[in-house]
Each structure stands twice: as C-alpha cells, then as structure tokens.
Amino acid sequence: MRTSVPMDEIVDYAYPAMMAERALKRVHDAALDNDLELAMDEAANAIKEARKLYAALNAMQEKR
C-alpha cells in the first residue's frame, strides 16, 4: 500500500544510483580506450556513489 510521504522525509536514492551507473559506463569506455588511469578514477567515483546509494537505501529501511 502506498502512502504519501512528506517531502522532508523523502530519501533520494535515484541520483546516486544514476551517478554510479554513469561512472561505470565511463570505466568501460576508458578501459576500451586503454586509459586505465581514467578507468580507475571512474571506478573510485562509482564506489563513492554506490556508498551514497547504500546509505540512502539503509535510511529508507530504517524509516519503515
């Protein structure tokens, strides 16, 4: 059952998910271009965004 949630209680999980996905695409593109330094930098960005995503999902679970 869906209930309305006040705007100040909404946890944004979508943005870090999209940013992690974007960073992973850049990892792939850089690796294909044999730019492994850039690929590693983007992999670190993907990890950072995935941690934000995990924290958002955890916060959502705790609000249940």
Side-chain angles (χ1 to χ4, degrees):
M1 172 189 260
R2 293 179 107 181
T3 60
S4 60
V5 178
M7 290 299 290
D8 62 336
E9 292 185 25
I10 293 177
V11 176
D12 184 10
Y13 70 90
Y15 185 75
M18 291 184 295
M19 296 308 291
E21 181 179 25
R22 184 177 182 193
L24 288 171
K25 181 186 182 316
R26 289 180 176 168
V27 169
H28 176 69
D29 292 342
L32 288 177
D33 291 339
N34 205 31
D35 188 346
L36 299 181
E37 189 171 329
L38 177 60
M40 290 169 57
D41 287 345
E42 290 298 337
N45 287 336
I47 292 167
K48 178 180 74 171
E49 294 299 334
R51 286 181 176 150
K52 290 179 188 176
L53 171 59
Y54 185 89
L57 294 171
N58 191 45
M60 291 169 63
Q61 186 177 39
E62 288 176 357
K63 287 184 177 185
R64 281 184 164 185

Short mmCIF file of all heavy atoms in Angstrom, two decimals:
data_model
loop_
_atom_site.label_atom_id
_atom_site.label_comp_id
_atom_site.label_asym_id
_atom_site.label_seq_id
_atom_site.Cartn_x
_atom_site.Cartn_y
_atom_site.Cartn_z
N MET A 1 0.85 -1.17 0.00
CA MET A 1 0.00 0.00 0.00
C MET A 1 0.89 1.24 0.00
O MET A 1 1.81 1.35 0.79
CB MET A 1 -0.90 -0.02 1.24
CG MET A 1 -1.66 1.27 1.41
SD MET A 1 -2.51 1.35 2.99
CE MET A 1 -4.13 0.90 2.47
N ARG A 2 0.62 2.13 -0.89
CA ARG A 2 1.38 3.37 -0.97
C ARG A 2 0.74 4.42 -0.08
O ARG A 2 -0.47 4.54 -0.02
CB ARG A 2 1.41 3.89 -2.40
CG ARG A 2 2.17 3.00 -3.34
CD ARG A 2 2.13 3.55 -4.70
NE ARG A 2 3.46 4.09 -4.98
CZ ARG A 2 3.78 4.68 -6.10
NH1 ARG A 2 2.88 4.85 -7.03
NH2 ARG A 2 4.99 5.11 -6.29
N THR A 3 1.59 5.14 0.61
CA THR A 3 1.11 6.26 1.41
C THR A 3 1.90 7.48 1.01
O THR A 3 3.04 7.38 0.54
CB THR A 3 1.31 6.00 2.92
OG1 THR A 3 2.69 5.80 3.17
CG2 THR A 3 0.51 4.79 3.37
N SER A 4 1.30 8.64 1.18
CA SER A 4 2.04 9.86 0.84
C SER A 4 3.07 10.14 1.93
O SER A 4 2.84 9.88 3.11
CB SER A 4 1.09 11.04 0.69
OG SER A 4 0.40 11.27 1.89
N VAL A 5 4.21 10.64 1.50
CA VAL A 5 5.32 10.90 2.42
C VAL A 5 5.64 12.38 2.33
O VAL A 5 5.77 12.93 1.24
CB VAL A 5 6.56 10.08 2.01
CG1 VAL A 5 7.73 10.38 2.93
CG2 VAL A 5 6.24 8.60 2.02
N PRO A 6 5.76 13.05 3.47
CA PRO A 6 6.15 14.47 3.43
C PRO A 6 7.50 14.64 2.73
O PRO A 6 8.39 13.79 2.83
CB PRO A 6 6.26 14.85 4.91
CG PRO A 6 5.45 13.83 5.64
CD PRO A 6 5.53 12.57 4.83
N MET A 7 7.64 15.73 1.99
CA MET A 7 8.84 15.97 1.20
C MET A 7 10.11 15.95 2.03
O MET A 7 11.16 15.52 1.55
CB MET A 7 8.73 17.29 0.43
CG MET A 7 7.71 17.27 -0.69
SD MET A 7 8.09 16.05 -1.95
CE MET A 7 9.53 16.81 -2.71
N ASP A 8 10.07 16.39 3.27
CA ASP A 8 11.28 16.42 4.09
C ASP A 8 11.70 15.02 4.55
O ASP A 8 12.78 14.85 5.10
CB ASP A 8 11.11 17.35 5.29
CG ASP A 8 9.99 16.93 6.22
OD1 ASP A 8 9.08 16.22 5.78
OD2 ASP A 8 10.05 17.33 7.39
N GLU A 9 10.88 14.01 4.29
CA GLU A 9 11.20 12.64 4.68
C GLU A 9 11.63 11.79 3.49
O GLU A 9 11.97 10.63 3.67
CB GLU A 9 10.00 11.99 5.36
CG GLU A 9 9.68 12.59 6.71
CD GLU A 9 8.56 11.85 7.40
OE1 GLU A 9 8.35 10.66 7.11
OE2 GLU A 9 7.89 12.47 8.22
N ILE A 10 11.63 12.34 2.30
CA ILE A 10 12.00 11.57 1.12
C ILE A 10 13.51 11.44 1.05
O ILE A 10 14.24 12.42 1.16
CB ILE A 10 11.45 12.22 -0.16
CG1 ILE A 10 9.93 12.13 -0.17
CG2 ILE A 10 12.04 11.55 -1.40
CD1 ILE A 10 9.28 12.78 -1.34
N VAL A 11 13.98 10.22 0.88
CA VAL A 11 15.40 9.95 0.73
C VAL A 11 15.66 9.72 -0.75
O VAL A 11 15.01 8.88 -1.38
CB VAL A 11 15.81 8.71 1.56
CG1 VAL A 11 17.28 8.38 1.33
CG2 VAL A 11 15.53 8.94 3.03
N ASP A 12 16.60 10.46 -1.31
CA ASP A 12 16.91 10.34 -2.74
C ASP A 12 17.94 9.24 -2.95
O ASP A 12 19.11 9.41 -2.67
CB ASP A 12 17.43 11.67 -3.28
CG ASP A 12 17.67 11.62 -4.78
OD1 ASP A 12 17.26 10.63 -5.43
OD2 ASP A 12 18.27 12.57 -5.31
N TYR A 13 17.46 8.10 -3.45
CA TYR A 13 18.37 7.00 -3.79
C TYR A 13 18.65 6.99 -5.29
O TYR A 13 19.65 6.43 -5.73
CB TYR A 13 17.78 5.66 -3.36
CG TYR A 13 16.60 5.25 -4.20
CD1 TYR A 13 16.77 4.50 -5.35
CD2 TYR A 13 15.31 5.65 -3.87
CE1 TYR A 13 15.68 4.15 -6.14
CE2 TYR A 13 14.23 5.32 -4.64
CZ TYR A 13 14.42 4.57 -5.78
OH TYR A 13 13.35 4.24 -6.56
N ALA A 14 17.77 7.61 -6.06
CA ALA A 14 17.88 7.53 -7.52
C ALA A 14 19.11 8.27 -8.05
O ALA A 14 19.78 7.77 -8.95
CB ALA A 14 16.61 8.07 -8.17
N TYR A 15 19.39 9.45 -7.51
CA TYR A 15 20.51 10.23 -8.03
C TYR A 15 21.85 9.50 -7.86
O TYR A 15 22.58 9.35 -8.84
CB TYR A 15 20.55 11.62 -7.40
CG TYR A 15 21.63 12.49 -7.99
CD1 TYR A 15 21.47 13.04 -9.26
CD2 TYR A 15 22.80 12.74 -7.30
CE1 TYR A 15 22.46 13.82 -9.82
CE2 TYR A 15 23.80 13.52 -7.85
CZ TYR A 15 23.63 14.07 -9.11
OH TYR A 15 24.62 14.83 -9.66
N PRO A 16 22.17 9.00 -6.66
CA PRO A 16 23.44 8.28 -6.57
C PRO A 16 23.45 7.00 -7.42
O PRO A 16 24.50 6.60 -7.92
CB PRO A 16 23.61 7.97 -5.08
CG PRO A 16 22.33 8.31 -4.43
CD PRO A 16 21.57 9.19 -5.34
N ALA A 17 22.30 6.37 -7.61
CA ALA A 17 22.24 5.18 -8.47
C ALA A 17 22.58 5.56 -9.91
O ALA A 17 23.36 4.87 -10.57
CB ALA A 17 20.86 4.55 -8.39
N MET A 18 22.01 6.66 -10.37
CA MET A 18 22.30 7.11 -11.74
C MET A 18 23.75 7.55 -11.90
O MET A 18 24.39 7.28 -12.92
CB MET A 18 21.36 8.24 -12.15
CG MET A 18 19.92 7.79 -12.33
SD MET A 18 18.81 9.10 -12.91
CE MET A 18 18.85 10.24 -11.53
N MET A 19 24.29 8.20 -10.87
CA MET A 19 25.68 8.66 -10.95
C MET A 19 26.65 7.47 -10.92
O MET A 19 27.68 7.48 -11.61
CB MET A 19 25.98 9.64 -9.82
CG MET A 19 25.17 10.93 -9.92
SD MET A 19 25.26 11.76 -11.52
CE MET A 19 26.95 12.30 -11.51
N ALA A 20 26.34 6.44 -10.15
CA ALA A 20 27.17 5.24 -10.13
C ALA A 20 27.14 4.56 -11.49
O ALA A 20 28.17 4.13 -12.02
CB ALA A 20 26.70 4.28 -9.04
N GLU A 21 25.95 4.47 -12.07
CA GLU A 21 25.81 3.87 -13.39
C GLU A 21 26.61 4.66 -14.43
O GLU A 21 27.29 4.07 -15.28
CB GLU A 21 24.33 3.84 -13.78
CG GLU A 21 24.05 3.21 -15.11
CD GLU A 21 22.58 3.18 -15.45
OE1 GLU A 21 21.81 4.01 -14.92
OE2 GLU A 21 22.21 2.33 -16.27
N ARG A 22 26.53 5.97 -14.35
CA ARG A 22 27.27 6.83 -15.28
C ARG A 22 28.78 6.62 -15.13
O ARG A 22 29.51 6.52 -16.12
CB ARG A 22 26.90 8.29 -15.00
CG ARG A 22 27.49 9.28 -15.93
CD ARG A 22 26.96 10.66 -15.58
NE ARG A 22 27.48 11.64 -16.49
CZ ARG A 22 27.41 12.93 -16.31
NH1 ARG A 22 26.82 13.41 -15.24
NH2 ARG A 22 27.90 13.77 -17.18
N ALA A 23 29.25 6.54 -13.88
CA ALA A 23 30.68 6.32 -13.64
C ALA A 23 31.12 4.96 -14.18
O ALA A 23 32.20 4.84 -14.76
CB ALA A 23 30.99 6.45 -12.15
N LEU A 24 30.27 3.94 -14.02
CA LEU A 24 30.62 2.62 -14.54
C LEU A 24 30.68 2.61 -16.06
O LEU A 24 31.54 1.93 -16.64
CB LEU A 24 29.62 1.58 -14.03
CG LEU A 24 29.75 1.24 -12.55
CD1 LEU A 24 28.58 0.37 -12.10
CD2 LEU A 24 31.08 0.56 -12.26
N LYS A 25 29.82 3.37 -16.70
CA LYS A 25 29.90 3.49 -18.16
C LYS A 25 31.22 4.14 -18.56
O LYS A 25 31.87 3.72 -19.52
CB LYS A 25 28.73 4.29 -18.70
CG LYS A 25 28.75 4.41 -20.22
CD LYS A 25 27.69 5.32 -20.76
CE LYS A 25 27.67 5.40 -22.27
NZ LYS A 25 28.94 5.53 -22.92
N ARG A 26 31.63 5.16 -17.80
CA ARG A 26 32.90 5.81 -18.09
C ARG A 26 34.08 4.87 -17.85
O ARG A 26 35.09 4.94 -18.56
CB ARG A 26 33.04 7.08 -17.25
CG ARG A 26 32.11 8.19 -17.70
CD ARG A 26 32.27 9.42 -16.85
NE ARG A 26 31.44 10.49 -17.34
CZ ARG A 26 31.20 11.60 -16.66
NH1 ARG A 26 31.72 11.77 -15.47
NH2 ARG A 26 30.42 12.53 -17.17
N VAL A 27 33.97 4.01 -16.84
CA VAL A 27 35.01 2.98 -16.61
C VAL A 27 35.14 2.13 -17.87
O VAL A 27 36.24 1.90 -18.38
CB VAL A 27 34.67 2.09 -15.40
CG1 VAL A 27 35.60 0.88 -15.34
CG2 VAL A 27 34.74 2.87 -14.11
N HIS A 28 34.03 1.65 -18.35
CA HIS A 28 34.01 0.79 -19.54
C HIS A 28 34.61 1.51 -20.74
O HIS A 28 35.47 0.96 -21.44
CB HIS A 28 32.57 0.35 -19.82
CG HIS A 28 32.41 -0.45 -21.06
ND1 HIS A 28 32.91 -1.73 -21.18
CD2 HIS A 28 31.81 -0.15 -22.23
CE1 HIS A 28 32.62 -2.18 -22.39
NE2 HIS A 28 31.96 -1.25 -23.04
N ASP A 29 34.16 2.73 -20.97
CA ASP A 29 34.67 3.49 -22.12
C ASP A 29 36.16 3.75 -22.02
O ASP A 29 36.90 3.60 -23.00
CB ASP A 29 33.92 4.82 -22.26
CG ASP A 29 32.46 4.65 -22.66
OD1 ASP A 29 32.09 3.56 -23.15
OD2 ASP A 29 31.69 5.62 -22.47
N ALA A 30 36.62 4.12 -20.83
CA ALA A 30 38.05 4.39 -20.64
C ALA A 30 38.87 3.12 -20.81
O ALA A 30 39.95 3.15 -21.41
CB ALA A 30 38.29 5.01 -19.26
N ALA A 31 38.37 2.01 -20.30
CA ALA A 31 39.09 0.74 -20.45
C ALA A 31 39.19 0.34 -21.92
O ALA A 31 40.24 -0.13 -22.37
CB ALA A 31 38.40 -0.36 -19.64
N LEU A 32 38.12 0.57 -22.66
CA LEU A 32 38.16 0.27 -24.10
C LEU A 32 39.18 1.14 -24.82
O LEU A 32 39.80 0.71 -25.80
CB LEU A 32 36.77 0.46 -24.73
CG LEU A 32 35.72 -0.59 -24.38
CD1 LEU A 32 34.38 -0.20 -25.02
CD2 LEU A 32 36.14 -1.97 -24.82
N ASP A 33 39.35 2.37 -24.33
CA ASP A 33 40.34 3.29 -24.90
C ASP A 33 41.74 3.05 -24.33
O ASP A 33 42.67 3.79 -24.65
CB ASP A 33 39.93 4.74 -24.64
CG ASP A 33 38.71 5.15 -25.44
OD1 ASP A 33 38.40 4.49 -26.45
OD2 ASP A 33 38.04 6.14 -25.03
N ASN A 34 41.87 2.04 -23.47
CA ASN A 34 43.13 1.71 -22.81
C ASN A 34 43.66 2.84 -21.93
O ASN A 34 44.85 2.96 -21.72
CB ASN A 34 44.19 1.26 -23.83
CG ASN A 34 45.25 0.38 -23.20
OD1 ASN A 34 44.96 -0.35 -22.27
ND2 ASN A 34 46.46 0.45 -23.70
N ASP A 35 42.74 3.67 -21.42
CA ASP A 35 43.09 4.74 -20.47
C ASP A 35 42.78 4.20 -19.07
O ASP A 35 41.77 4.53 -18.47
CB ASP A 35 42.30 6.01 -20.78
CG ASP A 35 42.75 7.21 -19.98
OD1 ASP A 35 43.50 7.02 -18.99
OD2 ASP A 35 42.36 8.33 -20.33
N LEU A 36 43.68 3.38 -18.58
CA LEU A 36 43.41 2.68 -17.33
C LEU A 36 43.43 3.60 -16.13
O LEU A 36 42.72 3.35 -15.14
CB LEU A 36 44.39 1.52 -17.16
CG LEU A 36 44.29 0.47 -18.28
CD1 LEU A 36 45.28 -0.65 -18.03
CD2 LEU A 36 42.88 -0.06 -18.42
N GLU A 37 44.20 4.68 -16.18
CA GLU A 37 44.19 5.64 -15.07
C GLU A 37 42.82 6.29 -14.93
O GLU A 37 42.27 6.39 -13.84
CB GLU A 37 45.27 6.70 -15.28
CG GLU A 37 45.45 7.59 -14.07
CD GLU A 37 46.67 8.50 -14.19
OE1 GLU A 37 47.65 8.10 -14.84
OE2 GLU A 37 46.60 9.60 -13.62
N LEU A 38 42.25 6.72 -16.06
CA LEU A 38 40.90 7.30 -16.03
C LEU A 38 39.89 6.24 -15.59
O LEU A 38 38.98 6.54 -14.81
CB LEU A 38 40.53 7.86 -17.40
CG LEU A 38 39.12 8.43 -17.53
CD1 LEU A 38 38.90 9.57 -16.54
CD2 LEU A 38 38.87 8.89 -18.96
N ALA A 39 40.03 5.02 -16.08
CA ALA A 39 39.11 3.94 -15.69
C ALA A 39 39.14 3.73 -14.17
O ALA A 39 38.09 3.57 -13.55
CB ALA A 39 39.47 2.65 -16.42
N MET A 40 40.33 3.77 -13.59
CA MET A 40 40.44 3.58 -12.15
C MET A 40 39.85 4.76 -11.39
O MET A 40 39.18 4.57 -10.36
CB MET A 40 41.90 3.37 -11.76
CG MET A 40 42.42 2.01 -12.24
SD MET A 40 44.20 1.79 -12.13
CE MET A 40 44.51 2.07 -10.42
N ASP A 41 40.04 5.97 -11.89
CA ASP A 41 39.42 7.14 -11.25
C ASP A 41 37.90 7.04 -11.28
O ASP A 41 37.23 7.33 -10.28
CB ASP A 41 39.86 8.43 -11.95
CG ASP A 41 41.29 8.82 -11.66
OD1 ASP A 41 41.89 8.27 -10.70
OD2 ASP A 41 41.83 9.67 -12.41
N GLU A 42 37.36 6.63 -12.42
CA GLU A 42 35.91 6.50 -12.53
C GLU A 42 35.39 5.34 -11.69
O GLU A 42 34.28 5.41 -11.15
CB GLU A 42 35.49 6.35 -14.00
CG GLU A 42 35.67 7.62 -14.81
CD GLU A 42 34.83 8.79 -14.31
OE1 GLU A 42 33.80 8.59 -13.62
OE2 GLU A 42 35.21 9.94 -14.61
N ALA A 43 36.19 4.29 -11.55
CA ALA A 43 35.79 3.18 -10.67
C ALA A 43 35.69 3.67 -9.22
O ALA A 43 34.75 3.30 -8.50
CB ALA A 43 36.79 2.03 -10.79
N ALA A 44 36.63 4.52 -8.82
CA ALA A 44 36.56 5.10 -7.48
C ALA A 44 35.31 5.96 -7.33
O ALA A 44 34.66 5.94 -6.27
CB ALA A 44 37.82 5.91 -7.19
N ASN A 45 34.97 6.72 -8.37
CA ASN A 45 33.74 7.52 -8.33
C ASN A 45 32.51 6.63 -8.22
O ASN A 45 31.57 6.95 -7.48
CB ASN A 45 33.62 8.41 -9.58
CG ASN A 45 34.58 9.56 -9.57
OD1 ASN A 45 35.03 10.00 -8.52
ND2 ASN A 45 34.91 10.07 -10.74
N ALA A 46 32.51 5.52 -8.94
CA ALA A 46 31.37 4.59 -8.88
C ALA A 46 31.22 4.03 -7.47
O ALA A 46 30.10 3.91 -6.95
CB ALA A 46 31.57 3.46 -9.89
N ILE A 47 32.34 3.71 -6.84
CA ILE A 47 32.29 3.19 -5.46
C ILE A 47 31.74 4.25 -4.52
O ILE A 47 30.89 3.96 -3.66
CB ILE A 47 33.69 2.72 -5.01
CG1 ILE A 47 34.09 1.48 -5.80
CG2 ILE A 47 33.73 2.47 -3.51
CD1 ILE A 47 35.56 1.11 -5.67
N LYS A 48 32.18 5.50 -4.69
CA LYS A 48 31.70 6.60 -3.84
C LYS A 48 30.18 6.75 -3.98
O LYS A 48 29.47 6.87 -2.98
CB LYS A 48 32.40 7.90 -4.23
CG LYS A 48 31.96 9.11 -3.46
CD LYS A 48 32.70 10.36 -3.91
CE LYS A 48 32.14 10.79 -5.24
NZ LYS A 48 32.62 12.10 -5.69
N GLU A 49 29.70 6.73 -5.20
CA GLU A 49 28.27 6.87 -5.43
C GLU A 49 27.50 5.66 -4.93
O GLU A 49 26.39 5.80 -4.41
CB GLU A 49 27.98 7.13 -6.92
CG GLU A 49 28.53 8.46 -7.42
CD GLU A 49 27.94 9.68 -6.72
OE1 GLU A 49 26.81 9.63 -6.21
OE2 GLU A 49 28.64 10.71 -6.70
N ALA A 50 28.07 4.47 -5.07
CA ALA A 50 27.41 3.26 -4.58
C ALA A 50 27.29 3.31 -3.06
O ALA A 50 26.28 2.85 -2.50
CB ALA A 50 28.18 2.02 -5.02
N ARG A 51 28.28 3.88 -2.39
CA ARG A 51 28.18 4.04 -0.93
C ARG A 51 27.06 4.99 -0.55
O ARG A 51 26.33 4.77 0.42
CB ARG A 51 29.52 4.51 -0.36
CG ARG A 51 30.56 3.43 -0.33
CD ARG A 51 31.85 3.92 0.26
NE ARG A 51 32.79 2.81 0.36
CZ ARG A 51 34.09 2.94 0.28
NH1 ARG A 51 34.65 4.14 0.13
NH2 ARG A 51 34.88 1.89 0.37
N LYS A 52 26.92 6.07 -1.32
CA LYS A 52 25.81 7.01 -1.08
C LYS A 52 24.47 6.30 -1.30
O LYS A 52 23.51 6.50 -0.54
CB LYS A 52 25.91 8.22 -2.00
CG LYS A 52 27.05 9.15 -1.70
CD LYS A 52 27.05 10.29 -2.70
CE LYS A 52 28.26 11.18 -2.60
NZ LYS A 52 28.26 12.22 -3.64
N LEU A 53 24.40 5.50 -2.35
CA LEU A 53 23.19 4.74 -2.65
C LEU A 53 22.86 3.80 -1.50
O LEU A 53 21.71 3.73 -1.04
CB LEU A 53 23.37 3.97 -3.95
CG LEU A 53 22.30 2.96 -4.32
CD1 LEU A 53 20.93 3.62 -4.44
CD2 LEU A 53 22.68 2.25 -5.61
N TYR A 54 23.85 3.08 -1.03
CA TYR A 54 23.64 2.14 0.08
C TYR A 54 23.13 2.88 1.32
O TYR A 54 22.21 2.42 1.99
CB TYR A 54 24.95 1.40 0.38
CG TYR A 54 24.79 0.34 1.43
CD1 TYR A 54 24.43 -0.96 1.09
CD2 TYR A 54 25.00 0.62 2.77
CE1 TYR A 54 24.27 -1.93 2.05
CE2 TYR A 54 24.84 -0.35 3.75
CZ TYR A 54 24.47 -1.63 3.38
OH TYR A 54 24.31 -2.59 4.34
N ALA A 55 23.74 4.02 1.61
CA ALA A 55 23.31 4.81 2.78
C ALA A 55 21.86 5.27 2.62
O ALA A 55 21.09 5.26 3.59
CB ALA A 55 24.23 6.00 2.97
N ALA A 56 21.48 5.68 1.42
CA ALA A 56 20.11 6.12 1.19
C ALA A 56 19.14 4.97 1.37
O ALA A 56 18.09 5.12 2.00
CB ALA A 56 19.98 6.71 -0.22
N LEU A 57 19.47 3.81 0.82
CA LEU A 57 18.60 2.64 0.97
C LEU A 57 18.50 2.21 2.43
O LEU A 57 17.42 1.83 2.90
CB LEU A 57 19.11 1.49 0.11
CG LEU A 57 19.05 1.73 -1.40
CD1 LEU A 57 19.78 0.63 -2.13
CD2 LEU A 57 17.62 1.85 -1.88
N ASN A 58 19.61 2.29 3.13
CA ASN A 58 19.61 1.95 4.56
C ASN A 58 18.71 2.91 5.33
O ASN A 58 17.93 2.49 6.20
CB ASN A 58 21.04 1.98 5.10
CG ASN A 58 21.14 1.40 6.48
OD1 ASN A 58 20.57 0.36 6.77
ND2 ASN A 58 21.85 2.09 7.35
N ALA A 59 18.79 4.21 5.01
CA ALA A 59 17.94 5.19 5.68
C ALA A 59 16.46 4.92 5.39
O ALA A 59 15.61 5.05 6.28
CB ALA A 59 18.32 6.60 5.23
N MET A 60 16.17 4.51 4.16
CA MET A 60 14.78 4.19 3.80
C MET A 60 14.29 2.98 4.61
O MET A 60 13.16 2.97 5.08
CB MET A 60 14.68 3.91 2.31
CG MET A 60 14.87 5.14 1.45
SD MET A 60 15.04 4.76 -0.30
CE MET A 60 13.46 4.03 -0.67
N GLN A 61 15.16 2.00 4.76
CA GLN A 61 14.78 0.80 5.50
C GLN A 61 14.54 1.13 6.97
O GLN A 61 13.60 0.62 7.58
CB GLN A 61 15.87 -0.26 5.37
CG GLN A 61 15.49 -1.58 6.00
CD GLN A 61 16.55 -2.63 5.80
OE1 GLN A 61 17.75 -2.33 5.88
NE2 GLN A 61 16.13 -3.85 5.52
N GLU A 62 15.36 2.01 7.53
CA GLU A 62 15.20 2.37 8.93
C GLU A 62 13.92 3.16 9.20
O GLU A 62 13.41 3.13 10.30
CB GLU A 62 16.41 3.18 9.40
CG GLU A 62 17.66 2.34 9.54
CD GLU A 62 18.88 3.14 9.91
OE1 GLU A 62 18.80 4.39 10.01
OE2 GLU A 62 19.94 2.52 10.09
N LYS A 63 13.41 3.82 8.17
CA LYS A 63 12.16 4.59 8.33
C LYS A 63 10.93 3.72 8.30
O LYS A 63 9.85 4.18 8.62
CB LYS A 63 12.06 5.65 7.24
CG LYS A 63 13.01 6.80 7.44
CD LYS A 63 12.79 7.86 6.40
CE LYS A 63 13.70 9.04 6.65
NZ LYS A 63 13.42 10.12 5.71
N ARG A 64 11.09 2.47 7.90
CA ARG A 64 9.93 1.56 7.81
C ARG A 64 9.32 1.31 9.15
O ARG A 64 9.86 1.22 10.16
CB ARG A 64 10.33 0.24 7.21
CG ARG A 64 10.45 0.29 5.73
CD ARG A 64 10.74 -1.09 5.26
NE ARG A 64 10.47 -1.14 3.82
CZ ARG A 64 10.54 -2.24 3.13
NH1 ARG A 64 10.87 -3.36 3.71
NH2 ARG A 64 10.30 -2.24 1.86
#
